[in-house]
Amino acid sequence: MLVGFGETLITPPLGLEMAGYFSNRLADGVLDELYSRALVVSEGDEHIALVVTDLISVAAPDVARVRELVAARTPIPPENVMVAATHTHTGPVTANRPGFTRDEAYMGSWADKTAEAVRIAFTRRVEAVVGAGAGNLPGVSFNRRYWMKNGRVHTNPGIGNPDIVRPAGAIDTQVTVLRFDDLNGNPIGLLTNFGCHTDTIGGTKYSADWVGVAVRAIRSLVAEMYGGGDPSRGEFGVIVLNGACGEINHHDVFTPGRAKRWPTMTRAIGVGLAAETMRVASQILPQPAQGPTVSSRSAWVTLERIPLEQRIREAQEALADPRTGAMERRRAQSLLETADLLPKDEPPTVNAEVHVLQLGPAAILGLPGEIFSESGLIFKSQAPQAFPMVANLANGALGYVPPYRAYHEGGYETRSAWVKPGSVERMVATGIELAQQCAVDARDAASQAAG
């Protein structure tokens, strides 16, 4: 197995529009830099690449452009490249919508630099072994959807709100770690997977949010534990893969005053994830693969759109219902205010790519939307690999894709959804099938190698 890591700086110029909120913001500074980070793994002629980029989302055409550039610069086939966004809310606008315009020159530069991160990773490959482990990081992420006394679900109903009854869904606090060592036993890189909205900062300065904190903290801990020079220079590869977190954020509604404690939630999540990642990584003993274990499988699923007329009608009904929560009400108002600017001739269906990468004992499911934690847990419980993971907002941007039952409960996420109920169930079922195919591929290849 050959493994390489690469990264490139993608921080935009100041003055660009920023993504993540209802009102437009122009960037006026940089809290910390944004990056595209790549991991390339090869076994013989099989090459796969995982890219994580510090953007709110990446549309399918932009993913296609990165893949095209990667294929021109390396032997990695386009279909073996997964591009996932960290979902930072303090990065540039990446998609045009009413009131927001992306900078085409920047997005072109982003594609070039992101493909270059893959090329760098490919050129830095060394013989390596991989191991996996899992830990837990409770107390820093929370389900933000709650059943209220009025019988509806509200998103972010307010810290200490006495009308909260209970959370409206699950949460996955697992931390899954892949550790890569060279053949002399020296760690060369880590991949860690944890799910929480990257929306802990706000403001008008670029930032990778808690993901950036986690990368820097992991490198500092690696330098402390193993040596290896200045951790800020990036010789040690770190990939922080945001998991299924469509309804997960950092607000603990049951603990008033939590936001005023030390440290800030940005650092509580980032440093906490770094510490748990290193705790797990220190117990992993990477081993040579028993037969081929690197593969990529993908499939396209056709999903139905919710007609614009239906969305408008249901938004009007939500605004007329006094039980509707504040965030859902704001989303409904936004839709009605911009309805005349939305395209009236959208096709009734949209194609969504479901992608699975098998990497040693792990399988990474990439889904092109904001996926709820419970949907990720279904994949993790049914994939045959020992260490399943989910990459949120991978290879496209469908917005929120809630579970079927959530559409009828209320809340910001379901009011924002524009694909019909049942969409995520179809994608996850496809992902499980792909993971099973990857496992069969590995077994068949191992049998052939054994003669």
Side-chain angles (χ1 to χ4, degrees):
M1 176 184 289
L2 295 172
V3 175
F5 290 84
E7 63 182 43
T8 49
L9 188 67
I10 61 163
T11 307
L14 299 185
L16 266 60
E17 297 179 19
M18 300 183 72
Y21 300 113
F22 288 110
S23 58
N24 209 331
R25 302 167 292 157
L26 299 180
D28 61 10
V30 178
L31 284 179
D32 56 277
E33 305 286 3
L34 308 185
Y35 289 88
S36 284
R37 296 185 169 95
L39 164 65
V40 170
V41 183
S42 303
E43 277 184 341
D45 294 331
E46 184 75 8
H47 311 285
I48 63 173
L50 172 65
V51 182
V52 177
T53 187
D54 291 326
L55 296 180
I56 194 163
S57 62
V58 182
D62 294 313
V63 174
R65 179 57 179 157
V66 170
R67 288 170 161 173
E68 177 185 2
L69 292 170
V70 167
R73 300 174 188 180
T74 74
I76 306 172
E79 64 273 16
N80 284 13
V81 179
M82 180 185 293
V83 181
T86 62
H87 196 49
T88 179
H89 285 51
T90 39
V93 167
T94 60
N96 295 320
R97 63 184 180 89
F100 296 84
T101 304
R102 76 182 207 157
D103 187 286
E104 294 295 343
Y106 170 74
M107 290 305 297
S109 172
W110 168 84
D112 179 72
K113 293 176 179 177
T114 299
E116 185 63 9
V118 179
R119 189 198 65 79
I120 292 170
F122 186 85
T123 62
R124 288 182 176 175
R125 292 173 306 150
V126 297
E127 289 283 352
V129 291
V130 61
N136 192 36
L137 182 61
V140 298
S141 60
F142 308 88
N143 196 303
R144 69 185 189 183
R145 291 170 54 82
Y146 294 89
W147 283 106
M148 309 299 288
K149 290 179 180 178
N150 65 13
R152 297 290 287 172
V153 168
H154 290 185
T155 301
N156 286 342
I159 296 172
N161 189 329
D163 292 329
I164 295 172
V165 177
R166 66 183 186 279
I171 185 169
D172 182 5
T173 59
Q174 186 177 64
V175 176
T176 307
V177 180
L178 295 182
R179 171 178 160 178
F180 301 89
D181 288 4
D182 66 21
L183 298 188
N184 294 319
N186 301 307
I188 60 174
L190 292 172
L191 182 155
T192 185
N193 180 224
F194 177 74
C196 183
H197 250 74
T198 36
D199 184 18
T200 68
I201 292 179
T204 55
K205 293 177 171 53
Y206 294 128
S207 173
D209 209 276
W210 61 261
V211 169
V213 174
V215 171
R216 294 190 297 274
I218 288 171
R219 283 185 170 147
S220 293
L221 288 171
V222 168
E224 184 70 25
M225 293 173 69
Y226 299 105
D230 182 358
S232 68
R233 292 177 58 193
E235 292 96 340
F236 184 83
V238 180
I239 301 287
V240 176
L241 184 65
N242 204 352
C245 61
E247 85 291 34
I248 307 299
N249 69 7
H250 60 288
H251 293 301
D252 179 4
V253 300
F254 299 117
T255 308
R258 172 63 186 88
K260 298 179 181 179
R261 295 181 189 173
W262 175 91
T264 66
M265 286 307 296
T266 309
R267 285 170 173 76
I269 301 170
V271 175
L273 177 59
E276 182 63 1
T277 296
M278 292 305 297
R279 185 192 70 80
V280 173
S282 67
Q283 299 176 14
I284 295 172
L285 295 176
Q287 300 291 329
Q290 302 301 310
T293 57
V294 173
S295 61
S296 172
R297 287 272 189 162
S298 61
W300 290 87
V301 179
T302 301
L303 306 177
E304 294 185 75
R305 293 178 182 267
I306 302 173
L308 179 59
E309 296 80 5
Q310 178 182 337
R311 295 175 62 204
I312 291 173
R313 182 180 69 253
E314 292 176 349
Q316 292 169 336
E317 293 170 354
L319 291 176
D321 187 344
R323 302 177 303 161
T324 299
M327 280 194 70
E328 181 180 359
R329 186 173 294 277
R330 181 68 186 90
R331 171 58 78 188
Q333 289 173 337
S334 176
L335 173 63
L336 297 181
E337 290 167 0
T338 60
D340 290 341
L341 301 175
L342 296 173
K344 306 300 187 294
D345 56 350
E346 290 279 8
T349 60
V350 60
N351 291 324
E353 183 181 5
V354 179
H355 193 183
V356 171
L357 297 177
Q358 175 156 327
L359 205 173
I364 301 171
L365 169 63
L367 294 178
E370 294 194 58
I371 308 302
F372 278 33
S373 182
E374 67 183 70
S375 299
L377 286 168
I378 291 172
F379 173 76
K380 293 170 85 169
S381 69
Q382 297 186 35
Q385 288 79 6
F387 294 93
M389 293 180 265
V390 176
N392 206 46
L393 286 163
N395 298 344
L398 297 178
Y400 287 95
V401 192
Y404 185 95
R405 55 95 187 153
Y407 280 79
H408 312 291
E409 297 173 347
Y412 170 82
E413 300 84 1
T414 56
R415 184 63 51 204
S416 303
W418 53 268
V419 290
K420 287 186 176 181
S423 295
V424 76
E425 285 78 8
R426 292 188 59 203
M427 290 196 294
V428 170
T430 301
I432 293 168
E433 292 176 1
L434 295 174
Q436 291 169 344
Q437 292 169 12
C438 284
V440 170
D441 291 344
R443 288 196 297 268
D444 289 348
S447 296
Q448 292 176 5

